[in-house]
Amino acid sequence: METDQNQPAGLRVIPLGGVGEIGLNMMVYEYGDDIIVADCGLMFPEPHMLGIDIVIPDITYLRERADRVRGIFLTHGHEDHIGALPYVLPELPVPIFGTALTLGFVREKLKEFDLDSSTDLSVVKPRESVTVGPFKVEFIRVSHSIVDGCALAIRTPEGVVIHTGDFKIDQTPVDGELTDLASFARYGSEGVLALFSDSTNVERQGYTLSERLVGEAFDEIFPRCPGRIIVAAFSSNIHRVQQAVESAARCGRKVLLNGRSMIANVAIARQLGYLRIPDDVLIDLREMPRLPPEQVCMITTGSQGEPMSALTRIAMDDHKQIKLEKGDTVILSSRFIPGNEKTISDLINHLYRRGAEVFHEKVSEVHVSGHASREELKLMINLVRPKFFVPVHGEYRHLVKHSRLAQRVGVPEERCLVVENGAVIRFADGAAEVAGSVANGRVFIDGKGIGDVGAVVLKDRKHLSEDGMVVVIISINPQTGEILYGPDIVSRGFVFEDESQEYLDETKKIVLDLLAGMSPEVLKDWNEVKQEVRRILRRFFNKTIERRPVILPLIIEM
Amino acid sequence: METDQNQPAGLRVIPLGGVGEIGLNMMVYEYGDDIIVADCGLMFPEPHMLGIDIVIPDITYLRERADRVRGIFLTHGHEDHIGALPYVLPELPVPIFGTALTLGFVREKLKEFDLDSSTDLSVVKPRESVTVGPFKVEFIRVSHSIVDGCALAIRTPEGVVIHTGDFKIDQTPVDGELTDLASFARYGSEGVLALFSDSTNVERQGYTLSERLVGEAFDEIFPRCPGRIIVAAFSSNIHRVQQAVESAARCGRKVLLNGRSMIANVAIARQLGYLRIPDDVLIDLREMPRLPPEQVCMITTGSQGEPMSALTRIAMDDHKQIKLEKGDTVILSSRFIPGNEKTISDLINHLYRRGAEVFHEKVSEVHVSGHASREELKLMINLVRPKFFVPVHGEYRHLVKHSRLAQRVGVPEERCLVVENGAVIRFADGAAEVAGSVANGRVFIDGKGIGDVGAVVLKDRKHLSEDGMVVVIISINPQTGEILYGPDIVSRGFVFEDESQEYLDETKKIVLDLLAGMSPEVLKDWNEVKQEVRRILRRFFNKTIERRPVILPLIIEM
């Protein structure tokens, strides 16, 4: 790890998350004694992170330099860019800069944690700049699957760094607000030191389809629906909601919003003027039954088949107020997020069982991506004409391919840097190098516990999940080694106890025989006894039923 | 459930698996006192089936009529059609009919269970028939992602049923053996009672691409690879292996086979004449290091990123003999099986980290499906012109869509039957109806245990996986209610014990205070004590750290 005393001059850029993974976005920009951070996101747990609620970046590096952090700049309001704020702010109570809708979502989030009144939130408009220490940061509008997203043009003494955030280049955006290519071109003409660009869709040829196409798909589908329409979408995708509302109104339907975040985010967006819904279009759950089905459109969360979501409960015929019928249509206007394919597939099957018709991105144009495809990524590089190129926001293979794409449009190979989280990219005197790496990683949040669940606990949970647990209770006189109690055997998740009494009795006998064969000396060494019990039962279970439960011998002293 | 005494005449067709799911294929054909079964497959566990190894169909219906089962007819050698045989045969030791390669794979499987010598395996050639009781079964060749697959034309006193098995219509099959459309047409002209057809790809427009295209993709890619080539494929896809071998030989490479099932299946296929590999093309692991990388092609299993597979270990740089380098190419010549997207994605990222180039079905034509797309499904219905249509081999939505597709080509809606497992489809006097349902379901195999792990144990494992387990040990004098020992607290997978001693001490105190507040009478009621301990700890854990471990109070008598 670099020591700060010897810190050479130059701009240091350090990803603490979001590089080599999708999620957890957090980029440190450091010059001298000043640090700013771009984004502060979370990641949803992967399947092996048993019992974990969310994952946030390890901010040890910033914690050790807390007095030097001047502010956090947010590109947009998605969870993988703002979700870690409530956990980071208590340690780094710095000003936060972002656009109006981004900060609207942030404020809502901070309220849950009682941090909203103590946090300094500054709204910045696109093309406005904020100066913090040696950094001058201009917000540049970009299109994305959320409104009010921006790239950051970060001017430093070493030069300008363009930090794209998540972007696409939509030529027919729903609100008419285009990706501000002119500003990117302006910086490109002036000279850009480095471009840090969104690698998510680098494997997709061509251009990403426009958001407006989804509205057109709605206009084609909605009028043909005989019964009710349910549109499932991400509540942060304001333009998607806008289009669904407009298409619904155009065919005489009222709109019901469902899902806590849908209702909250729509309220924020309407209040800030980003979403226009006439009051008479909205209905609530009580009014819905009074309308004929063909006059109803519900916009809801739950597109990923999340177990407790309203849509899943509707699909399982488990929702008190909403019962699906033949003639009803469900539109999953969202992405099949990798990892969720099975739950979404199950959701779709259940919806068909209820008699509904289902549209989704694999069979219909009811969703478009929010990330640039290859041609847009090339366009960005060609406009910005950076000296150095660093692909971010992608898994390793996306970074490699984005680096190759940059080379294809003319950035020399030696100036394309594929790095991992924690890498210190140092720019000085027109050169760039990876100058070591710093502490980085993932912190697990389980319930109220932050970071206490790590590899050891996860390993135990995994082991428990596979074949359960067997507890062996014995009491041994520590002086004589006489067995005073047990062995008693209790298990969970191992075998079906109601039918396995014989087997468990056999298990008891195995342990009894083992103990009977031990000398009083050995029996006084409880660690030795536990080890032997574990060993013999492991062998017994493996041999007889090929299962490997967690074996927990408990020796108690009376 | 129908009682057999009152069994009306007619043909009864009962799916015991494979309908409403992909996997577990098993179809019962029953006429009077005779039963034949089409296929006997397994299913790999879904994520929530913790610790389960495989899933097989519940054969209660057949077990109760074991003396009437005359034979099992196999359509092809995939696990979801033959995998349950070793578990079913001990209870139903009946003759098995299938093509040469299918039975070759079956024999290999039965060897592992010591069932090969006791099982009656009869090889049937395409266009040959087998008569069993009132059934005359003709095998009709079809193309699939395995060689020697057949549909079954089952002639019964009520009429002919065409059971397609898994199929596609490949116009340029690698071995020149076409799907035998003429035979389907022959039956269509004669008159077919019902068609049971493969719904897997009903959501795909057009036609499925030919297997030969993959060979062409290999010929395009292989010569451009500077280093070694690794092709990952399913070992049962003999034509894929054939093409890989030929493309390798054409550019001067030797072939190394890797993976137990790859080596075994290739041996079976070569021995039966289905796969032609000149001996001098094959090398083994010891010879490989002596060849320059550009002369090496390895064909291996592990395409799904399975944790212990050779390919995964190579990707993690954990394989003793094979180290990937820049210039090496890995081709995942296989499907991204739903549910495995994450492990495959991780595999690809690790391969890129090793410096390899990776081709897979999403970016290259290195895999084609083995199942018919919509136009081929329509063609099958039009050739066969069945009176009744029953979609099978698909999840519920596939069945619904396949039923609609049949209606589109002219089968009346009332003659399209979408059923679930266990449904008794009764054909009599030219009519068809669903006449009730029979016992059916999934049996879990965990280690050597068959069926003992059910909902209760799985629920426990799930609970254990989320927040682990807390064991509370207390000893109470059953006469006086005096507390002789404890409470002692031990946990696994709950909190990080090394750092949580204080918290666990606090937990102990909670229980101590609870017990101190109980009268001796209450303390003698151990069930009551356990309930109270569980209750108070549940509340404590939830309130303090929002975790819900399994709580196991153990009260022991000394």
Side-chain angles (χ1 to χ4, degrees):
Chain A
M1 207 179 297
E2 300 219 17
T3 59
D4 292 12
Q5 288 86 347
N6 296 338
Q7 186 153 297
L11 170 70
R12 289 154 57 91
V13 185
I14 310 168
L16 292 183
V19 168
E21 65 210 345
I22 292 185
L24 235 46
N25 296 288
M26 197 172 193
M27 186 80 69
V28 170
Y29 288 88
E30 182 177 356
Y31 190 88
D33 282 333
D34 297 285
I35 291 174
I36 60 171
V37 181
D39 288 330
C40 187
L42 59 72
M43 188 176 84
F44 291 107
E46 294 174 353
H48 65 273
M49 301 173 187
L50 296 164
I52 298 304
D53 300 323
I54 64 176
V55 183
I56 60 175
D58 179 336
I59 58 162
T60 300
Y61 187 77
L62 294 175
R63 188 181 293 118
E64 294 170 345
R65 295 158 183 75
D67 55 318
R68 293 192 228 164
V69 181
R70 309 287 171 227
I72 300 175
F73 290 77
L74 304 174
T75 56
H76 63 285
H78 274 149
E79 286 282 15
D80 61 324
H81 291 256
I82 67 169
L85 281 170
Y87 305 94
V88 165
L89 281 169
E91 296 195 72
L92 299 173
V94 298
I96 304 196
F97 303 93
T99 54
L101 189 68
T102 304
L103 294 189
F105 288 162
V106 168
R107 193 172 288 112
E108 186 75 12
K109 179 180 283 297
L110 295 182
K111 269 191 205 149
E112 278 182 53
F113 289 78
D114 268 321
L115 289 167
D116 51 312
S117 37
S118 57
T119 308
D120 179 356
L121 299 171
S122 296
V123 174
V124 184
K125 288 200 182 71
R127 290 204 171 182
E128 278 183 3
S129 298
V130 175
T131 301
V132 165
F135 302 105
K136 184 175 179 191
V137 182
E138 177 179 350
F139 281 66
I140 304 176
R141 185 187 297 288
V142 294
S143 298
H144 188 39
S145 45
I146 194 172
V147 176
D148 240 10
C150 281
L152 306 172
I154 306 170
R155 191 179 292 281
T156 79
E158 287 294 333
V160 172
V161 173
I162 302 288
H163 181 106
T164 66
D166 296 4
F167 80 100
K168 69 189 280 192
I169 301 174
D170 189 335
Q171 304 297 5
T172 50
V174 167
D175 58 3
E177 299 278 11
L178 295 158
T179 298
D180 186 358
L181 299 179
S183 289
F184 289 111
R186 175 173 32 99
Y187 278 101
S189 304
E190 176 194 321
V192 168
L193 174 64
L195 171 65
F196 286 67
S197 182
D198 174 6
S199 312
T200 313
N201 272 359
V202 70
E203 285 179 327
R204 293 200 200 183
Q205 298 291 344
Y207 294 83
T208 299
L209 295 175
S210 169
E211 177 64 33
R212 203 174 278 277
L213 283 181
V214 179
E216 288 169 19
F218 287 163
D219 280 335
E220 217 194 275
I221 296 171
F222 282 24
R224 297 184 338 217
C225 297
R228 284 171 301 187
I229 295 173
I230 297 179
V231 177
F234 295 119
S235 61
S236 54
N237 196 339
I238 300 304
H239 285 166
R240 190 65 53 82
V241 174
Q242 179 76 62
Q243 296 187 100
V245 165
E246 288 177 3
S247 297
R250 268 195 283 274
C251 54
R253 293 178 185 258
K254 299 289 185 195
V255 173
L256 165 69
L257 298 172
N258 186 68
R260 202 186 53 83
S261 66
M262 180 64 73
I263 292 167
N265 287 354
V266 165
I268 295 168
R270 283 178 90 195
Q271 194 222 335
L272 290 170
Y274 286 95
L275 185 51
R276 291 169 307 286
I277 310 181
D279 283 320
D280 62 345
V281 168
L282 287 179
I283 58 168
D284 64 29
L285 211 44
R286 291 163 304 160
E287 299 168 77
M288 193 191 75
R290 297 183 218 140
L291 290 171
E294 64 271 19
Q295 285 181 29
V296 171
C297 174
M298 180 168 101
I299 303 177
T300 180
T301 51
S303 67
Q304 302 298 302
E306 302 97 310
M308 294 276 79
S309 74
L311 186 56
T312 300
R313 282 184 292 125
I314 290 170
M316 308 283 283
D317 204 17
D318 190 38
H319 194 284
K320 292 202 188 78
Q321 291 96 348
I322 303 169
K323 303 277 174 208
L324 277 184
E325 293 161 0
K326 201 173 193 302
D328 288 339
T329 304
V330 177
I331 301 173
L332 300 184
S333 184
S334 51
R335 180 168 173 238
F336 281 45
I337 293 177
N340 295 344
E341 293 86 353
K342 200 90 195 40
T343 49
I344 298 171
S345 187
D346 289 348
L347 171 68
I348 296 173
N349 287 322
H350 282 297
L351 291 169
Y352 271 104
R353 279 196 169 83
R354 301 283 83 78
E357 182 65 52
V358 184
F359 291 84
H360 54 82
E361 66 164 354
K362 302 200 174 195
V363 296
S364 179
E365 253 160 38
V366 291
H367 173 70
V368 296
S369 173
H371 296 272
S373 297
R374 291 177 73 79
E375 293 308 306
E376 294 149 273
L377 294 176
K378 291 178 195 167
L379 198 157
M380 178 62 78
I381 299 169
N382 281 333
L383 271 182
V384 168
R385 284 177 288 169
K387 189 164 184 190
F388 299 98
F389 177 75
V390 184
V392 297
H393 201 283
E395 295 172 13
Y396 196 81
R397 71 181 188 277
H398 299 127
L399 308 182
V400 168
K401 293 189 177 190
H402 202 179
S403 168
R404 286 188 200 156
L405 178 141
Q407 291 165 45
R408 189 170 301 192
V409 296
V411 183
E413 193 192 341
E414 62 275 14
R415 299 215 216 118
C416 292
L417 308 168
V418 174
V419 302
E420 307 242 27
N421 284 330
V424 177
I425 311 173
R426 193 172 84 88
F427 298 94
D429 309 317
E433 54 161 1
V434 176
S437 79
V438 306
N440 71 93
R442 297 167 165 188
V443 171
F444 298 138
I445 306 218
D446 182 353
K448 285 188 177 176
I450 300 174
D452 72 288
V453 172
V456 173
V457 176
L458 283 188
K459 191 161 164 247
D460 278 346
R461 288 182 186 173
K462 177 152 209 308
H463 196 174
L464 287 167
S465 76
E466 284 163 0
D467 281 325
M469 182 169 200
V470 174
V471 184
V472 185
I473 311 111
I474 313 165
S475 181
I476 302 176
N477 183 317
Q479 276 82 42
T480 64
E482 182 198 346
I483 295 162
L484 304 168
Y485 178 87
D488 202 2
I489 311 258
V490 181
S491 73
R492 282 290 182 278
F494 172 49
V495 292
F496 188 38
E497 297 224 343
D498 288 13
E499 293 178 354
S500 310
Q501 230 11 79
E502 236 181 84
Y503 186 69
L504 293 170
D505 288 341
E506 207 184 327
T507 310
K508 247 186 251 188
K509 192 173 182 312
I510 299 265
V511 178
L512 210 57
D513 291 345
L514 170 76
L515 298 173
M518 288 176 159
S519 72
E521 286 316 303
V522 174
L523 282 165
K524 287 194 246 176
D525 182 351
W526 287 0
N527 277 330
E528 178 73 18
V529 175
K530 286 189 199 176
Q531 258 193 52
E532 285 302 303
V533 168
R534 241 183 251 118
R535 196 186 54 79
I536 206 170
L537 285 184
R538 227 184 341 242
R539 212 169 59 183
F540 174 64
F541 293 145
N542 198 20
K543 188 164 194 276
T544 50
I545 56 170
E546 277 178 20
R547 288 188 200 170
R548 297 172 183 75
V550 172
I551 299 169
L552 184 59
L554 299 175
I555 303 183
I556 63 186
E557 176 174 354
M558 302 283 269
Chain B
M1 206 180 296
E2 301 218 18
T3 58
D4 291 15
Q5 287 87 345
N6 296 338
Q7 187 154 295
L11 170 70
R12 289 155 55 92
V13 186
I14 310 168
L16 292 183
V19 168
E21 64 209 347
I22 292 185
L24 235 47
N25 297 288
M26 197 171 194
M27 186 81 68
V28 170
Y29 289 88
E30 182 177 356
Y31 191 88
D33 282 333
D34 297 285
I35 290 175
I36 59 171
V37 181
D39 288 330
C40 188
L42 59 74
M43 188 176 84
F44 290 107
E46 294 174 351
H48 66 273
M49 301 174 187
L50 295 164
I52 298 304
D53 300 323
I54 66 176
V55 184
I56 59 176
D58 179 336
I59 58 163
T60 300
Y61 187 76
L62 295 175
R63 187 181 294 118
E64 293 170 347
R65 294 158 183 75
D67 54 315
R68 294 193 227 163
V69 181
R70 308 286 171 226
I72 299 175
F73 289 78
L74 303 174
T75 56
H76 63 286
H78 274 149
E79 286 283 15
D80 61 324
H81 292 256
I82 67 169
L85 282 170
Y87 306 93
V88 165
L89 281 169
E91 296 194 72
L92 299 174
V94 299
I96 304 197
F97 303 93
T99 54
L101 189 69
T102 305
L103 294 189
F105 288 162
V106 168
R107 194 173 287 111
E108 186 75 13
K109 178 180 284 297
L110 295 182
K111 269 192 204 149
E112 278 182 53
F113 289 78
D114 268 320
L115 288 166
D116 52 310
S117 39
S118 57
T119 307
D120 179 356
L121 299 170
S122 297
V123 173
V124 184
K125 288 200 181 70
R127 290 204 171 183
E128 278 183 1
S129 297
V130 175
T131 300
V132 166
F135 301 104
K136 183 174 179 190
V137 183
E138 177 178 353
F139 281 66
I140 304 175
R141 186 187 296 289
V142 294
S143 297
H144 187 39
S145 45
I146 193 173
V147 176
D148 239 9
C150 282
L152 305 172
I154 305 170
R155 192 179 292 281
T156 80
E158 288 294 331
V160 173
V161 173
I162 302 287
H163 182 106
T164 66
D166 296 4
F167 80 99
K168 69 189 279 191
I169 301 174
D170 189 335
Q171 305 296 3
T172 50
V174 167
D175 58 4
E177 300 278 11
L178 295 158
T179 297
D180 186 358
L181 299 180
S183 288
F184 289 110
R186 175 173 32 98
Y187 278 102
S189 305
E190 175 193 324
V192 168
L193 174 65
L195 171 65
F196 285 67
S197 183
D198 174 5
S199 312
T200 313
N201 272 0
V202 70
E203 284 179 326
R204 292 200 200 183
Q205 298 292 341
Y207 293 84
T208 298
L209 296 175
S210 169
E211 177 64 32
R212 203 175 278 277
L213 283 181
V214 179
E216 289 170 17
F218 286 164
D219 279 336
E220 217 194 276
I221 295 172
F222 282 25
R224 296 183 340 218
C225 297
R228 283 172 303 187
I229 295 173
I230 296 179
V231 177
F234 295 120
S235 62
S236 54
N237 197 339
I238 300 303
H239 285 165
R240 189 66 54 81
V241 175
Q242 179 77 62
Q243 296 187 102
V245 165
E246 289 177 3
S247 296
R250 269 194 283 274
C251 56
R253 293 179 185 258
K254 300 290 184 193
V255 173
L256 165 69
L257 298 173
N258 186 68
R260 203 186 53 85
S261 66
M262 180 64 72
I263 292 168
N265 287 354
V266 165
I268 294 168
R270 284 178 89 194
Q271 194 220 334
L272 290 170
Y274 287 97
L275 185 52
R276 290 169 308 286
I277 310 181
D279 283 321
D280 62 345
V281 168
L282 287 179
I283 58 168
D284 64 30
L285 209 45
R286 289 163 304 159
E287 299 168 77
M288 192 191 74
R290 296 182 219 143
L291 290 171
E294 64 272 18
Q295 285 182 29
V296 172
C297 174
M298 181 169 100
I299 302 177
T300 180
T301 50
S303 67
Q304 301 299 302
E306 302 97 310
M308 293 276 79
S309 75
L311 186 56
T312 301
R313 282 184 291 126
I314 290 170
M316 308 282 284
D317 204 17
D318 189 39
H319 194 284
K320 292 202 188 80
Q321 291 97 348
I322 303 170
K323 303 277 175 208
L324 277 184
E325 294 161 359
K326 200 172 194 304
D328 287 340
T329 304
V330 178
I331 301 173
L332 300 183
S333 185
S334 51
R335 181 168 173 237
F336 281 46
I337 293 178
N340 294 344
E341 293 87 353
K342 199 89 196 37
T343 49
I344 298 171
S345 187
D346 289 348
L347 171 67
I348 296 174
N349 286 321
H350 282 297
L351 291 169
Y352 270 104
R353 278 196 170 82
R354 302 281 82 77
E357 182 65 52
V358 184
F359 290 85
H360 54 83
E361 66 164 355
K362 302 201 174 195
V363 295
S364 178
E365 255 161 37
V366 291
H367 173 70
V368 296
S369 172
H371 296 273
S373 297
R374 291 177 73 81
E375 293 308 305
E376 295 150 273
L377 294 175
K378 291 178 193 167
L379 196 157
M380 178 62 78
I381 299 169
N382 282 332
L383 271 182
V384 168
R385 285 176 288 168
K387 190 164 185 191
F388 298 99
F389 178 75
V390 183
V392 298
H393 201 284
E395 295 173 13
Y396 196 82
R397 70 181 189 277
H398 299 126
L399 308 182
V400 168
K401 293 189 177 191
H402 203 180
S403 169
R404 287 189 199 155
L405 178 142
Q407 290 164 45
R408 190 170 301 192
V409 296
V411 184
E413 193 191 342
E414 61 275 14
R415 300 215 216 118
C416 293
L417 308 169
V418 174
V419 302
E420 306 243 27
N421 285 329
V424 177
I425 310 173
R426 192 172 84 88
F427 298 94
D429 311 315
E433 55 161 358
V434 175
S437 78
V438 305
N440 71 94
R442 296 166 164 188
V443 171
F444 298 138
I445 306 219
D446 182 353
K448 286 189 179 177
I450 300 174
D452 71 289
V453 172
V456 173
V457 176
L458 282 189
K459 190 160 164 246
D460 278 345
R461 288 182 186 173
K462 177 150 211 303
H463 196 175
L464 286 167
S465 76
E466 285 163 0
D467 282 323
M469 182 171 201
V470 175
V471 184
V472 185
I473 311 111
I474 314 164
S475 181
I476 302 176
N477 183 316
Q479 276 81 43
T480 64
E482 183 198 347
I483 294 160
L484 305 167
Y485 178 86
D488 202 2
I489 311 258
V490 179
S491 73
R492 282 289 181 279
F494 173 48
V495 291
F496 188 37
E497 299 224 343
D498 288 13
E499 293 178 354
S500 310
Q501 229 11 78
E502 237 182 84
Y503 186 70
L504 293 171
D505 288 340
E506 207 184 328
T507 309
K508 247 186 253 193
K509 192 172 182 310
I510 298 268
V511 178
L512 210 55
D513 290 344
L514 169 75
L515 297 173
M518 289 175 158
S519 72
E521 286 316 301
V522 174
L523 283 165
K524 286 193 247 175
D525 182 351
W526 287 0
N527 276 329
E528 178 73 17
V529 175
K530 287 190 198 176
Q531 258 193 51
E532 285 301 303
V533 169
R534 240 184 251 117
R535 196 186 54 80
I536 205 170
L537 286 184
R538 225 184 344 241
R539 211 168 60 183
F540 175 65
F541 293 145
N542 197 20
K543 189 165 193 277
T544 51
I545 56 170
E546 277 178 19
R547 289 188 201 170
R548 296 172 183 76
V550 172
I551 299 168
L552 184 58
L554 299 175
I555 303 182
I556 62 186
E557 175 174 355
M558 302 281 271

